[in-house]
Amino acid sequence: GIQVEQSPPDLILQEGANSTLRCNFSDSVNNLQWFHQNPWGQLINLFYIPSGTKQNGRLSATTVATERYSLLYISSSQTTDSGVYFCAVIRNYGQNFVFGPGTRLSVLP
Amino acid sequence: DTAVSQTPKYLVTQMGNDKSIKCEQNLGHDTMYWYKQDSKKFLKIMFSYNNKELIINETVPNRFSPKSPDKAHLNLHINSLELGDSAVYFCASSWLAGALGDTQYFGPGTRLTVL
């Protein structure tokens, strides 16, 4: 099956700093999504981005499907950005999401 | 109003017991999911239902049986609980099935501990 890797596994930032999280996947995909799990466990779907670039406030994501990777950019980080960021992919319609192991982000005040 | 709700929030039980987790969504979505998150935070999808019909069943043991009485509910029944079933279980919903690129909305999770 498809493999999903994320880097770095852990990231510690000072508030206000920028960061880039990376997701690599081993095969072509029909769907790629980014999720955020806050320190209290709540999961939120951030982006649906099988290709191209999207922006939502301080967060943006870019997927280069031909090179099988996606990047999540967080600018001017805030303590509320802390948590685990997961990317998940679907190879073909009818299949389920395969999640990466996540990047744990800690933003210090 | 909570969009996706799960009950109970915590469940502690003995090995061998049978238990159920309930999920309800009030968003009018057609698709619902169950996910399992283990102690290392690894997330894995278990089931997808679209309009009460099972569309995806990952390699989950037969002891897990989802039931969707209507589009707004997807319950998870687990028979003969084992230690390895201890995890946080998340329910989610979306308009479209995952591959079609729709936003999923997650419940707060149910922490299951099997002793």
Side-chain angles (χ1 to χ4, degrees), chain B:
Chain B
D1 268 348
T2 305
V4 182
S5 59
Q6 295 178 227
T7 54
K9 193 168 173 60
Y10 300 96
L11 187 50
V12 181
T13 188
Q14 299 284 335
M15 254 191 337
N17 283 351
D18 303 338
K19 290 293 178 186
S20 291
I21 306 172
K22 295 187 176 180
C23 177
E24 176 180 1
Q25 53 96 2
N26 62 6
L27 298 166
H29 288 164
D30 287 335
T31 307
M32 295 185 74
Y33 312 80
W34 277 109
Y35 290 86
K36 178 181 180 182
Q37 187 171 42
D38 63 22
S39 58
K40 296 183 179 175
K41 298 287 191 183
F42 190 72
L43 264 169
K44 185 175 173 165
I45 196 161
M46 301 172 71
F47 302 101
S48 296
Y49 266 73
N50 182 262
N51 276 315
K52 302 192 300 174
E53 298 294 325
L54 178 67
I55 53 173
I56 296 291
N57 177 359
E58 290 295 308
T59 49
V60 176
N62 290 339
R63 299 182 296 102
F64 291 80
S65 51
K67 295 261 187 325
S68 184
D70 54 59
K71 261 181 22 170
H73 295 85
L74 180 62
N75 303 323
L76 184 64
H77 188 75
I78 316 170
N79 289 327
S80 304
L81 278 156
E82 300 177 357
L83 294 177
D85 298 332
S86 295
V88 180
Y89 292 84
F90 288 96
C91 176
S93 72
S94 65
W95 282 111
L96 305 171
L100 299 177
D102 196 19
T103 299
Q104 295 183 50
Y105 294 83
F106 287 84
T110 295
R111 182 176 294 276
L112 171 64
T113 303
V114 182
L115 305 174

Side-chain angles (χ1 to χ4, degrees), chain A residues 50-95:
Chain A
S51 63
T53 297
K54 286 188 178 177
Q55 179 146 11
N56 184 1
R58 294 180 299 102
L59 271 60
S60 64
T62 295
T63 298
V64 183
T66 52
E67 297 187 24
R68 299 182 187 164
Y69 71 89
S70 183
L71 302 174
L72 178 68
Y73 304 97
I74 305 174
S75 64
S76 304
S77 57
Q78 300 176 357
T79 55
T80 51
D81 296 329
S82 295
V84 183
Y85 289 82
F86 295 99
C87 75
V89 301
I90 292 180
R91 175 107 169 76
N92 291 309
Y93 180 72
Q95 296 178 338

